Amino acid sequence: MMWVEEIETLPRSGLESIQLKRLQALVHRMYDKVLPYRAKMDAAGIRPGDIQSLKDLSRLPFTVKDDLRDNYPFGLFATPMDDVIRVHASSGTTGKSTVVGYTQADIDLWASIMARCLTMAGVTRGDMVHNAYGYGLFTGGLGAHYGIEALGATVIPVSGGNSRRQITIMRDFGSTVLLSTPSYALNLADAMSDAGVSPEELKLRVGVHGAEPWSQNMREEVERKLGIKALDIYGLSEIIGPGVSMECLHSEHGMHILEDNFLPEIIDPDTLEVLPYGETGELVFTTLTKEAFPLIRYRTKDISRLFLEPCGCGRTLIRMEKVTGRTDDMLIIRGVNVFPSQVEHVLVGIEGVEPHYQIEVSRDGNLDVMAVLVEVSEHIFSDEIRVLENLTKKIQAEIKDMLGVTCRVKLVEPRTIQRSEGKAQRVIDRRKL
Ligand SMILES: [Zn+2]
């Protein structure tokens, strides 16, 4: 089932002509209304009339997080504040928060976008949707909330916290859909087992999880512990909030981008060149339909890949691979860009290997040396040396194949690599010392 089938199944040419018209209107509007962006265009020597095809997008200047900070709080808004009916903000770990604004049309657009996404997950009017995303300045809670209402399903605006009570509500109200971050879904699973409630006592069928990167292994854990189908949703407040892209029930390895609204590109974060479909790099978005806070070529710092292979659901929208890393984590080893997430991808595909690893980079003379510590399962570690040697060689070969970098792999016993509550420390770069 689709929310707007005529858009979601458009042939490329039809979709691209909509994108181009919207892009041209956007560039004119940004040039007229958003003075900091006009200054960038002037500096780059490009005029709104120069955008004649979608290829010309690459001639436009990027927008980066610092532009938002420099124009804090409302300096990049394209409409008068009288037309802005809501703001959201994300708390930056460094410095000022990022503030975004919405007109009534933006809020309506966002609701319909979220309704489209939830429809991809098979959610209908008959569903009872447990919305455990945080309500407040964070876009997750309210963004999802209005989408659920637009769809006509019943929303339970439970927000985060008090897991025990959430379990009671899920059981008593008969929640069928769970919206939460993946880590909170696992929290709820633990709270369920603590409370002696089994998944069979709940009516939960599907989970829509986003707002943080999560691995395939974590997906399997959520699915197993809650007895649901767990799907990935992607978004960021700068672009609109949740709903930029979403996995459908047929797509295990990619999220459909709602590209009639959000025009994606993948760039090389070093050279800033646009990369062809299929290649991994930094995701960049241009918002085609937003009024209050439109952005052109916003660098997300998220690492992904775009692909056009047809999907079993019939949607023609381009898909993006699950985001597993950030350019902030990028390493340059002997001139090659290496993302820890690529190492993780290799490891997830090899039997007997745990997705716990650590990359150590050092310098031997003038040469970078990369070592990867990998945890292996108990039974493999107790195996004979030859088995371990073969596994080591296999991992080295696959990493070389995937990343184009030679590394030294060291297998270690389960639970020897330090875990932290928050972000696991995947990289130790001794070159900086
Ligand atoms: Zn699909």
Side-chain angles (χ1 to χ4, degrees), residues 1-5 7-10 116-122 246-250 256 258 308-319:
M1 230 180 46
M2 297 184 205
W3 187 246
V4 274
E5 191 167 338
I7 296 283
E8 291 174 86
T9 57
L10 271 176
R116 271 170 80 175
C117 288
L118 292 167
T119 306
M120 288 191 207
M246 170 79 203
E247 271 178 334
C248 69
L249 287 168
H250 297 263
H256 290 287
L258 277 61
L308 268 173
E309 280 84 354
C311 182
C313 72
R315 286 178 182 84
T316 50
L317 300 167
I318 200 166
R319 280 182 284 168

Side-chain angles (χ1 to χ4, degrees), residues 20-21 47 117 122 147 169 230 247 258 264 321 328 335 344 389 401 421:
L20 178 60
K21 265 185 222 136
R47 311 281 299 180
C117 288
I169 289 174
E247 271 178 334
L258 277 61
E321 205 169 64
D328 321 51
E344 185 165 328
E389 277 175 356
D401 206 36
E421 282 300 311

Side-chain angles (χ1 to χ4, degrees), residues 58-177:
S58 64
R59 300 173 59 191
L60 288 163
F62 291 104
T63 308
V64 295
K65 191 104 171 175
D66 277 345
D67 295 320
L68 274 61
R69 288 202 198 104
D70 293 347
N71 295 285
Y72 172 87
F74 310 133
L76 291 180
F77 286 13
T79 49
M81 282 311 284
D82 277 2
D83 294 334
V84 174
I85 64 159
R86 196 197 296 172
V87 292
H88 280 284
S90 59
S91 54
T93 41
T94 51
K96 292 167 183 165
S97 58
T98 302
V99 185
V100 298
Y102 304 79
T103 64
Q104 183 63 56
D106 291 333
I107 292 291
D108 295 345
L109 171 76
W110 193 10
S112 77
I113 277 167
M114 274 305 298
R116 271 170 80 175
C117 288
L118 292 167
T119 306
M120 288 191 207
V123 181
T124 67
R125 293 175 60 85
D127 275 302
M128 186 67 87
V129 185
H130 193 92
N131 186 16
Y133 284 114
Y135 281 63
L137 281 174
F138 170 58
T139 48
L142 285 167
H145 181 99
Y146 284 89
I148 300 161
E149 289 188 349
L151 182 66
T154 309
V155 59
I156 308 171
V158 64
S159 195
N162 202 341
S163 308
R164 193 67 178 256
R165 179 159 169 259
Q166 299 230 6
I167 304 299
T168 309
I169 289 174
M170 278 202 271
R171 188 186 54 200
D172 295 352
F173 294 11
S175 308
T176 53
V177 182

Side-chain angles (χ1 to χ4, degrees), residues 161-168 170-171 183-199 202 225-226:
N162 202 341
S163 308
R164 193 67 178 256
R165 179 159 169 259
Q166 299 230 6
I167 304 299
T168 309
M170 278 202 271
R171 188 186 54 200
S183 51
Y184 194 64
L186 286 179
N187 261 3
L188 286 175
D190 289 343
M192 264 169 69
S193 92
D194 290 348
V197 176
S198 76
L202 304 183
K225 288 188 169 168
L226 287 173

